[in-house]
Amino acid sequence: MKKILVKGGKKLNGEVNISSAKNAVLPIIASSILCGDTCIIDNAPMLEDVFVISEVLKSINSNINIEDNKIIIDNSNLTNVEPDSDLVRKMRASFLIMGAMISRFGKFKISLPGGCNIGNRPIDLHLKGFSALGAEINFGHGYVEAHANKLVGNKIYLDFPSVGATENIMMAAVLAEGDTVLENAAEEPEIQDLANFLNSMGAKINGAGTDTIKITGVKELKGTQYKPIPDRIEAGTFMVAAAITRGKIKINGINEQHLKPIIAKLREIGVCMEKVDDGIIIDGNNDFKPIDIKTMPYPGFPTDMQPQMMSLLATINGTSVITETIFENRFMHIGEINRMGGNIKIDGRCAVIEGVDCLTGCEVKATDLRAGAALIIAGLAAGGYTTIGDIYHIDRGYVSIEEKFKKLGADIERIEVD
Ligand code: EPU
């Protein structure tokens, strides 16, 4: 069994390069299903989730080659309309292939995703969109099936700006007949990136990145070559790590616009930041003060940065409050941070954080991807050794995380234990 061992107390220093965004690449890979030509994704992050969605596509006869950060996808021979359910159940994002599959084949059957460590995560909004486009949806024996003779554009209002539903419905609408208008759509940068990828294949999508997206159906899409956006959550994770160790680092290859809510909150804490060419310098050598944070859909503060911020606030004297509005169960890391000497109490959807002078290293477990990142961050600032278990969660979404931290001077390694 592999674990990550961190010895705290080192100030981070140096430069780190940001990889492409996991949450942009996953829907992009799914959307390649819409076209029979070859699609090439450059600078792809070599992550467990990327490998899993590639395997899901292979199970429907996609020909995928991954070499040197390049993913080459040939979907000319897709025949199977039922992906391997064991693979699908490994990762919720597998469900992102549904819109493209209904659109291309008029039928599709997939294992229903269950809840996960961060919440119940229903898919009703995805299905509402497919139905509005003319698909007939049926459930049974843990599967959801869709049939459609043809998809026809429609006006669809999302009750909540779900990222996955916006992406899935957008993919289904690209080849539908006529216009689709998606209202109260998610505005995350990854939505805009998916639209840019699809438009580079010949789709007609306008307004992605705003709350109203208009998709004019086209007859077919052609192959493309595309480089996804940088990972704003990976960048944010390193920003918080620099701050908690009172270090000074340069983060290269970011899109500052996408980091606005994270930069705003770090600035409120007292972290100094300076934009330089395509990077940002983070300087944690300052007095920090407690703050309140509420997670919101973009451009609000991202839920995917909530656990990492919690580790930082746990070390800042005074009372901070974090309100989690996106996922009902995304506080599993609190028990682990408290094991390290944190003083955090949960009150419904709020976490009340009383900052302590220092955290102390101990054995903890990554309960999900971002919780794992939060524990590494806490470990970097804690006294002594922190051992993090269940690190497969971390490998789902961070490229070479311990190597990147090591290059910044952290005392961190991956160890094999019985
Ligand atoms: N929701 C519904 N019905 C739906 C869909 C969503 O009620 O049909 C609810 C969810 O239960 C949740 C909220 O809406 O409470 C937000 O879910 P959303 O659909 O926006 O999230 P997602 O598409 O499942 C993506 C990211 C997550 C990220 C969220 C929110 C990918 C592959 N995943 O998930 O990333 O937290 O958006 O920004 O893009 C992560 O990277 O660690 C991660 C969990």
Side-chain angles (χ1 to χ4, degrees):
M1 194 198 320
K2 289 201 163 43
K3 293 189 175 185
I4 287 179
L5 178 68
V6 187
K7 182 166 183 258
K10 288 249 174 87
K11 288 185 178 193
L12 297 189
N13 195 293
E15 294 189 23
V16 62
N17 297 329
I18 294 307
S19 301
S20 290
K22 163 180 90 73
N23 290 346
V25 172
L26 296 177
I28 284 175
I29 293 175
S31 73
S32 71
I33 289 172
L34 289 164
C35 137
D37 294 343
T38 301
C39 293
I40 300 173
I41 302 162
D42 289 320
N43 204 29
M46 294 297 103
L47 294 169
E48 205 41 47
D49 273 9
V50 169
F51 301 139
V52 172
I53 201 158
S54 300
E55 289 303 315
V56 171
L57 259 73
K58 283 183 192 169
S59 78
I60 50 170
N61 293 343
S62 174
N63 190 351
I64 301 193
N65 275 307
I66 304 181
E67 9 174 289
D68 296 337
N69 295 66
K70 197 186 271 278
I71 305 180
I72 303 163
I73 311 171
D74 170 5
N75 284 328
S76 55
N77 286 318
L78 292 192
T79 44
N80 186 0
V81 289
E82 195 179 327
D84 183 297
S85 50
D86 288 337
L87 285 169
V88 165
R89 274 197 292 269
K90 264 191 174 177
M91 185 182 69
R92 290 189 55 84
S94 305
F95 197 72
L96 286 173
I97 70 173
M98 187 159 187
M101 286 300 284
I102 306 171
S103 180
R104 184 151 169 205
F105 294 102
K107 58 179 178 179
F108 186 57
K109 183 176 175 186
I110 189 168
S111 170
L112 275 167
C116 73
N117 288 356
I118 60 175
N120 185 24
R121 304 181 81 179
I123 49 161
D124 55 317
L125 299 172
H126 303 236
L127 301 180
K128 177 182 169 184
F130 301 147
S131 297
L133 296 175
E136 190 192 314
I137 308 285
N138 292 300
F139 298 93
H141 306 285
Y143 284 81
V144 54
E145 261 183 274
H147 289 93
N149 289 333
K150 68 170 178 182
L151 296 178
V152 181
N154 204 343
K155 199 170 195 175
I156 301 164
Y157 175 85
L158 290 182
D159 301 309
F160 181 87
S162 151
V163 173
T166 302
E167 292 166 343
N168 229 341
I169 297 167
M170 204 158 86
M171 290 187 248
V174 158
L175 297 176
E177 192 179 289
D179 289 347
T180 298
V181 179
L182 196 49
E183 292 177 328
N184 199 28
E187 299 175 40
E188 269 70 2
E190 292 76 18
I191 307 277
Q192 211 172 344
D193 210 38
L194 174 63
N196 289 342
F197 175 74
L198 288 165
N199 284 343
S200 77
M201 296 163 90
K204 286 195 180 144
I205 304 172
N206 282 300
T210 74
D211 65 358
T212 306
I213 304 177
K214 183 176 172 196
I215 304 137
T216 300
V218 295
K219 287 247 169 330
E220 60 175 5
L221 299 179
K222 58 182 189 329
T224 189
Q225 182 154 6
Y226 191 81
K227 182 178 166 204
I229 52 171
D231 196 316
R232 63 195 166 101
I233 306 302
E234 187 197 19
T237 300
F238 281 104
M239 290 164 85
V240 174
I244 203 172
T245 65
R246 304 300 194 262
K248 183 174 180 181
I249 66 170
K250 179 165 175 257
I251 304 179
N252 298 317
I254 58 148
N255 182 323
E256 190 196 12
Q257 200 63 22
H258 299 166
L259 289 166
K260 260 190 176 172
I262 301 168
I263 290 174
K265 282 297 168 182
L266 285 174
R267 205 156 262 149
E268 220 176 295
I269 287 172
V271 181
C272 299
M273 279 160 289
E274 186 195 344
K275 173 86 182 77
V276 281
D277 36 86
D278 79 331
I280 190 165
I281 294 173
I282 316 294
D283 189 348
N285 187 16
N286 205 357
D287 286 338
F288 289 169
K289 59 175 196 296
I291 60 162
D292 293 346
I293 295 177
K294 193 176 197 174
T295 63
M296 300 282 277
Y298 190 85
F301 189 85
T303 175
D304 291 346
M305 279 300 300
Q306 178 260 104
Q308 301 89 314
M309 277 298 214
M310 181 113 42
S311 290
L312 174 58
L313 294 174
T315 66
I316 298 174
N317 277 321
T319 309
S320 297
V321 177
I322 294 186
T323 309
E324 172 58 55
T325 75
I326 307 294
F327 292 112
E328 69 275 16
N329 194 28
R330 206 172 203 178
F331 278 154
M332 302 275 281
H333 44 284
I334 291 179
E336 303 302 296
I337 299 174
N338 283 347
R339 276 173 67 77
M340 299 176 71
N343 181 2
I344 308 171
K345 291 192 178 68
I346 302 175
D347 183 5
R349 288 216 153 186
C350 293
V352 181
I353 304 146
E354 297 294 343
V356 295
D357 286 335
C358 69
L359 297 171
T360 49
C362 65
E363 285 261 353
V364 286
K365 269 192 180 158
T367 48
D368 72 79
L369 166 59
R370 308 303 172 186
L375 293 174
I376 293 182
I377 288 171
L380 291 171
Y385 289 93
T386 300
T387 313
I388 303 154
D390 289 353
I391 59 171
Y392 56 90
H393 286 297
I394 301 175
D395 292 334
R396 288 186 36 224
Y398 287 94
V399 177
S400 312
I401 193 161
E402 71 275 14
E403 272 112 66
K404 288 190 182 186
F405 272 123
K406 212 180 267 180
K407 221 177 132 228
L408 292 170
D411 197 336
I412 181 170
E413 60 183 319
R414 190 171 286 241
I415 54 168
E416 184 75 49
V417 288
D418 296 334

